[in-house]
Amino acid sequence: MTDDTRRAWRPLPTDRPVRVALLGHGLAGSVFHGPLLAADPRYAVAVVMTSSPERAEAARAAHADVEIVPDADAVWERADDLDLAVVATPGETHARFGIRALESGLACVLDKPACTTDVEGAELLATRDRTGVPLTVFHNRRLDGDFLTAVRLLREGRLGELVRLESSFETWKPTVTKAWKAGASPAEGGGVLYDLGPHLIDQAIRLAGPVEESYAELRALRAGAVSDDDAVVVLRHASGVVSHLTMSTQARRPGPRMRVLGTEGAWSCYGVDGQEGALGAGASPLDADFGLAGAGRGSVLTTDAGDKAVPMERGDYPRFYAELADALQGRGTVPVDPADAVGVVGLIADLHRRHPVRSRP
């Protein structure tokens, strides 16, 4: 579809499901996006893009009457029969596919990172503005139970004024298990900072506000690694808050998932939100206990009165697509402003420019 023939985007009708093309059926497509879309009756996954026979079979099992196509061009050719493109492919393709989706008149969800360079980010936003087609980014970790708990405690004033945020995603993966990740350089969206940084940095900005200064220590610890697998980022926010963010695949014993320090109290918790694990194990977002896994995992509030266990908020990934459906049907805004996601990528790209990845001697 050319610029001359592209249909003007209008809010979608409410009397039929949003017709979705899911680009990619690896971890992001099959574990995150696919189950969330399948659980919401306002969506119908009509097309899945994959060249893998095994993934095609899994997509047919997950989505009734789905059409399997081998490449993105086949998606754009079907744009007139679709409403939404969900891009769940490797990071270096996100901006390119996102731009093509918007130019084809398809609303678009990009998995993170939204892009890998400042230039790509600027082009994405310019295309969104030029076409008027909705664009958003899957910063689903805004809907983790631990993050929602931190938001609640700060909103209720139980911590006083925020002073310092410590946040980490740490795992033990001594060897690389995905070939495309093993060969991806930071310029291609490779490395743990591009993989996990969009979530932790986005959360920090949501809690503490805009960033004025930043610093990083980026290391490649595994033999033959071409990008960082261990990263520490320090952010100084305009509010005066300092965030210490740790991302690593080389932590045999992870530290706290979050520690939030305020003038009147502190809160910490351990372990990652359970929604990803539940979805990967075959759970449905429609299950009565979805989002409750891991509730109360070391969630402790400390004040002058001592330590007190506090309940964790329920994780709520389904809210992302619920809010998106409302926005596509003209009843709200997209769940994540893409400018937020592009700004986070710009910060990550700048950290890589100023602090090159160091390999183990």
Side-chain angles (χ1 to χ4, degrees):
M1 190 178 294
T2 67
D3 283 350
D4 293 334
T5 61
R6 184 183 63 246
R7 68 179 186 269
W9 193 88
R10 297 182 179 86
L12 301 179
T14 59
D15 59 352
R16 63 165 176 81
V18 176
R19 302 166 299 182
V20 181
L22 177 56
L23 282 72
H25 207 256
L27 173 65
S30 66
V31 172
F32 286 105
H33 299 281
L36 295 176
L37 290 162
D40 191 322
R42 289 190 287 178
Y43 295 94
V45 178
V47 173
V48 168
M49 184 202 84
T50 180
S51 59
S52 162
E54 294 78 16
R55 292 178 178 180
E57 183 178 353
R60 291 189 182 97
H63 307 288
D65 303 319
V66 71
E67 180 182 5
I68 306 298
V69 298
D71 54 45
D73 286 340
V75 174
W76 318 138
E77 290 169 2
R78 291 160 173 75
D80 287 340
D81 298 317
L82 298 167
D83 304 305
L84 173 68
V86 176
V87 178
T89 49
E92 65 173 326
T93 67
H94 290 177
R96 172 162 50 92
F97 286 165
I99 290 167
R100 284 297 306 273
L102 298 176
E103 290 178 337
S104 298
L106 297 177
C108 184
V109 174
L110 295 177
D111 207 273
K112 57 78 198 170
C115 50
T116 58
T117 69
D118 311 71
V119 173
E120 284 184 344
E123 188 175 0
L124 258 177
L125 296 180
T127 305
R128 186 273 314 263
D129 293 343
R130 173 170 55 82
T131 62
V133 179
L135 171 68
T136 190
V137 181
F138 192 61
H139 277 199
N140 58 303
R141 297 291 180 176
R142 293 185 181 186
L143 300 170
D144 277 0
D146 43 44
F147 177 72
L148 294 174
T149 302
V151 170
R152 184 192 80 212
L153 293 173
L154 287 166
R155 183 181 64 244
E156 293 174 348
R158 299 176 73 181
L159 302 178
E161 183 180 345
L162 179 60
V163 174
R164 184 167 82 230
L165 168 67
E166 298 171 5
S167 182
S168 68
F169 282 154
E170 296 177 317
T171 60
W172 174 241
K173 297 179 180 178
T175 59
V176 179
T177 58
K178 296 180 181 179
W180 71 267
K181 284 191 174 183
S185 68
E188 298 167 323
V192 73
L193 181 55
Y194 267 108
D195 187 25
L196 301 176
H199 290 313
L200 292 188
I201 294 171
D202 180 66
Q203 289 182 341
I205 292 172
R206 300 286 290 178
L207 290 174
V211 174
E212 287 189 334
E213 298 179 64
S214 60
Y215 167 79
E217 295 176 0
L218 309 176
R219 300 191 296 168
L221 299 180
R222 290 177 287 194
V226 299
S227 55
D228 49 296
D229 48 31
D230 184 81
V232 176
V233 171
V234 179
L235 306 177
R236 184 174 299 279
H237 301 265
S239 61
V241 176
V242 174
S243 293
H244 294 175
L245 312 177
T246 305
M247 296 136 271
S248 182
T249 64
Q250 302 301 292
R252 188 181 286 274
R253 184 178 178 85
R257 165 64 190 92
M258 296 186 77
R259 193 164 76 114
V260 185
L261 305 182
T263 55
E264 302 295 331
W267 171 76
S268 63
C269 71
Y270 285 80
V272 297
D273 180 273
Q275 292 175 92
E276 176 180 355
L279 291 169
S284 168
L286 299 175
D287 294 342
D289 61 350
F290 185 80
L292 296 176
R297 55 190 191 282
S299 173
V300 175
L301 173 67
T302 301
T303 64
D304 289 343
D307 293 346
K308 179 181 180 181
V310 295
M312 296 282 283
E313 289 290 306
R314 182 175 191 151
D316 196 10
Y317 291 173
R319 190 199 308 175
F320 179 91
Y321 276 107
E323 292 182 359
L324 178 61
D326 285 341
L328 295 180
Q329 294 171 349
R331 297 192 303 274
T333 58
V334 295
V336 175
D337 185 339
D340 292 349
V342 168
V344 167
V345 170
L347 195 156
I348 290 172
D350 181 61
L351 287 171
H352 270 292
R353 282 191 291 266
R354 293 188 288 116
H355 306 287
V357 178
R358 296 181 181 275
S359 298
R360 176 185 288 177

